[in-house]
């Protein structure tokens, strides 16, 4: 590489690197530094002593944090499973050539296009115990039997899960369609010549060849579901009785509601580490496969 | 013959279910915007809106929604321009590291260029 090329190289790379540094590395570094201190905003007289890993040790002992972790894990497991199944069905439907396919694609993408906060408000209203359309759809005018979906612990978490599945299944479908489109049509034609029906074609051709795309969708959705915040914040604020108190929301409450900046930062750093591990797994497992596929 | 007919019927039902799944909650929510205040808070809920524009008038006149739209346009436009500019520079930097910004090499496939290689 000539010196001129090297300078051009740096000039092109520098702006993106600077943005990454300022907007990603600095906040993460700041969070990590805060997580090693005891900082209680409402008690400034206690100052901000360095406490090492004490916040992390407290996090491991904290029953609310453990509960939040399990709520988040249930949310991640359930939403990811249903989103992949519904996404696969939507992708298979959209992949077919038929009149009106474009209109179906547009309809299917509408939930994904709506901002999450708006979607959360929408589902909050639909699940409302008095005015909600879901009670009206299930019980009609029999208002005595209307269920306060967002006020009961089991139904509140289910409501958030339904909202997330509705919102994100189309994104999973988009990722899976990319995998469907690279499957050669010749394989299906050859299978039909040999007498294979629709189910045999799906099980023996589509399913094995679509697994990389499913893996990409699985990892993307797992990472996104782990970071859920706005749905729980808008729909239930973490209640009732911490039934929807996901980890990200718990960290927010500790930091901004109770003013425990150090402890809240420790929660954020833990979430960052978990998401980073998942992202590394994604890059390792999928990146190599995508590069081989492109060659 | 029967199997084909069942397959087609299943496909059509699948399409309708996909549309219903995607659109019904959205349309129910959109219908709120065209209801009157009394309809929104009625118990039991009313399905069909009165197609009133009261909430739209209120949003423009009392809540200054035009200002929020302008702000959103500025934010969306700026972030799009900045991220595309930065992304293009970073992408060109990648091409440079593969040697594509030197003299053109017609025989080499773009996907086969090793890092730092050159045709010269």
């Amino acid at each position: 590489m000539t010196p001129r090329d090297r300078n051009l190289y740096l000039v092109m790379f520098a702006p993106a690197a600077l943005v990454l540094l300022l907007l990603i590395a600095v906040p993460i570094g700041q969070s990590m530094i805060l997580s090693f201190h005891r900082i209680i905003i409402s008690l400034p007289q206690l100052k901000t002593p360095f406490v090492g890993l004490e916040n992390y040790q407290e996090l491991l002992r904290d029953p609310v944090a453990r509960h939040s972790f399990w709520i988040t894990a249930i949310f991640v497991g359930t939403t990811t499973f249903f989103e992949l199944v519904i996404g696969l069905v939507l992708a298979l439907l959209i992949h077919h050539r038929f009149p009106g396919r474009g209109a179906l694609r547009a309809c299917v993408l509408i939930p994904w296009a709506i901002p999450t906060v708006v979607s959360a408000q929408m589902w909050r209203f639909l699940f409302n115990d008095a005015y909600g359309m879901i009670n009206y759809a299930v019980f009609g005018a029999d208002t005595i039997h209307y269920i306060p979906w967002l006020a009961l612990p089991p139904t509140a978490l289910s409501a958030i899960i339904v909202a997330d599945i509705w919102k994100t299944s189309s994104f999973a479908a988009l990722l899976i369609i990319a995998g469907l489109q690279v499957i050669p049509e010749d394989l299906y034609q050859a299978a039909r010549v040999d007498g294979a029906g629709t189910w045999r074609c799906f099980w023996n051709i589509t399913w094995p060849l679509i697994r990389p795309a499913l893996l990409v969708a699985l990892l993307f959705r797992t990472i996104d579901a782990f970071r859920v915040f706005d749905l729980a914040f808008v729909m239930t604020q973490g209640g009732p009785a911490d039934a929807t108190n996901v980890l990200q929301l718990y960290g927010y409450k500790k930091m901004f509601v109770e003013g425990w900046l150090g402890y809240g930062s420790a929660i954020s750093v833990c979430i960052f580490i978990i998401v980073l591990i998942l992202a590394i797994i994604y890059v390792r497992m999928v990146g190599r496969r995508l590069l081989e596929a492109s060659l | 013959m029967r199997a084909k007919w069942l397959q087609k019927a299943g496909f059509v039902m699948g399409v309708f279910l996909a549309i219903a799944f995607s659109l019904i909650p959205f349309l129910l929510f959109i219908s709120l915007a065209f209801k009157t205040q009394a309809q929104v808070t009625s118990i039991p809920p009313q399905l069909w809106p009165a197609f009133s524009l009261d909430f739209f008038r209120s949003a423009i006149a009392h809540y200054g929604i035009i200002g929020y739209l302008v702000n959103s346009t500025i934010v969306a436009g700026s972030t799009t321009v900045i991220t595309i500019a930065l992304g293009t520079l970073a992408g060109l930097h990648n091409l440079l590291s593969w040697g594509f910004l030197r003299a053109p090499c017609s025989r080499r496939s773009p996907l086969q260029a090793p890092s730092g290689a050159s045709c010269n």
Side-chain angles (χ1 to χ4, degrees):
Chain A
M1 194 183 282
T2 64
R4 190 165 165 250
D5 282 343
R6 205 176 294 121
N7 290 337
L8 185 60
Y9 188 94
L10 284 170
V11 163
M12 286 182 175
F13 184 65
L18 195 64
V19 166
L20 281 174
L21 198 67
L22 284 175
L23 296 182
I24 296 174
V26 166
I28 290 172
Q30 183 75 6
S31 276
M32 284 184 177
I33 292 168
L34 288 175
S35 71
F36 294 129
H37 294 77
R38 172 160 293 121
I39 307 169
I40 305 172
I41 292 174
S42 54
L43 298 170
Q45 62 272 23
L46 293 180
K47 298 205 168 38
T48 60
F50 177 80
V51 292
L53 295 175
E54 208 174 286
N55 283 326
Y56 294 95
Q57 288 165 352
E58 206 173 314
L59 183 60
L60 289 172
R61 288 191 298 260
D62 185 353
V64 180
R66 271 203 303 275
H67 174 78
S68 297
F69 177 80
W70 287 118
I71 293 292
T72 310
I74 292 168
F75 179 86
V76 169
T78 321
T79 55
T80 307
F81 174 74
F82 283 105
E83 281 160 15
L84 285 183
V85 169
I86 295 173
L88 179 60
V89 171
L90 291 174
L92 289 170
L93 284 170
I94 294 170
H95 187 58
H96 252 80
R97 282 193 188 86
F98 63 95
R101 182 169 82 151
L104 176 64
R105 259 188 223 221
C107 290
V108 160
L109 287 177
I110 283 173
W112 180 61
I114 298 173
T116 310
V117 170
V118 173
S119 172
Q121 283 287 16
M122 181 186 95
W123 282 100
R124 189 169 149 227
F125 199 84
L126 290 175
F127 278 114
N128 187 283
D129 58 328
Y131 318 123
M133 278 297 172
I134 289 177
N135 272 326
Y136 183 66
V138 175
F139 300 106
D142 186 12
T143 56
I144 293 285
H145 291 107
Y146 278 14
I147 296 173
W149 304 97
L150 300 180
L152 299 173
T155 54
L157 184 59
S158 305
I160 290 176
I161 287 170
V162 164
D164 192 71
I165 290 169
W166 179 81
K167 170 115 182 58
T168 332
S169 294
S170 44
F171 178 67
L174 274 183
L175 295 173
I176 295 168
I177 281 172
L180 280 174
Q181 286 175 342
V182 298
I183 300 175
E185 190 58 37
D186 304 342
L187 293 176
Y188 293 106
Q189 286 172 1
R192 278 188 214 106
V193 163
D194 289 339
T198 307
W199 174 252
R200 285 294 295 271
C201 284
F202 172 77
W203 190 247
N204 291 107
I205 300 172
T206 310
W207 179 249
L209 294 177
I210 209 177
R211 277 202 286 240
L214 278 174
L215 187 58
V216 171
L218 170 70
L219 286 166
F220 260 121
R221 282 309 311 141
T222 305
I223 290 170
D224 271 345
F226 215 92
R227 298 179 302 127
V228 66
F229 171 80
D230 21 22
L231 272 177
F233 182 80
V234 172
M235 286 180 76
T236 55
Q237 284 278 313
D242 287 342
T244 59
N245 196 19
V246 292
L247 210 49
Q248 191 89 289
L249 184 58
Y250 182 54
Y252 165 84
K253 283 180 183 175
K254 274 292 177 191
M255 256 202 280
F256 298 109
V257 176
E258 296 178 32
W260 287 64
L261 220 55
Y263 188 59
S265 296
I267 296 173
S268 299
V269 169
C270 283
I271 294 170
F272 164 71
I273 289 169
I274 293 170
V275 169
L276 183 66
I277 290 168
L278 289 171
I280 289 170
I281 292 170
Y282 162 69
V283 168
R284 283 274 162 95
M285 287 176 72
V286 179
R288 204 178 302 132
R289 256 188 246 216
L290 287 177
L291 187 60
E292 283 165 3
S294 71
L295 291 174
Chain B
M1 190 73 175
R2 191 163 169 254
K4 272 206 160 182
W5 184 87
L6 278 172
Q7 266 180 29
K8 277 199 170 162
F11 179 76
V12 169
M13 191 177 304
V15 169
F16 276 112
L17 282 174
I19 294 173
F21 171 77
S22 303
L23 281 189
I24 286 179
F26 177 66
L27 289 174
L28 286 173
F29 189 61
I30 290 290
S31 72
L32 284 177
F34 295 98
K35 289 181 178 174
T36 59
Q37 182 63 45
Q39 276 190 306
V40 167
T41 53
S42 71
I43 301 169
Q46 291 183 23
L47 186 61
W48 204 249
F51 294 101
S52 159
L53 297 178
D54 289 347
F55 286 130
F56 290 97
R57 282 190 211 102
S58 178
I60 294 169
H62 300 302
Y63 295 100
I65 199 170
I66 304 290
Y68 300 136
L69 278 172
V70 169
N71 289 341
S72 291
T73 309
I74 292 169
V75 168
S78 315
T79 51
T80 303
V81 167
I82 292 169
T83 49
I84 286 178
L86 289 176
T88 305
L89 283 176
L92 286 172
H93 144 267
N94 262 344
L95 287 177
L96 183 66
S97 72
W98 287 349
F100 290 112
L101 293 183
R102 297 183 185 151
C105 179
S106 56
R107 269 178 267 160
R108 176 174 293 154
S109 160
L111 293 169
Q112 289 173 342
S115 172
S118 167
C119 295
N120 296 329

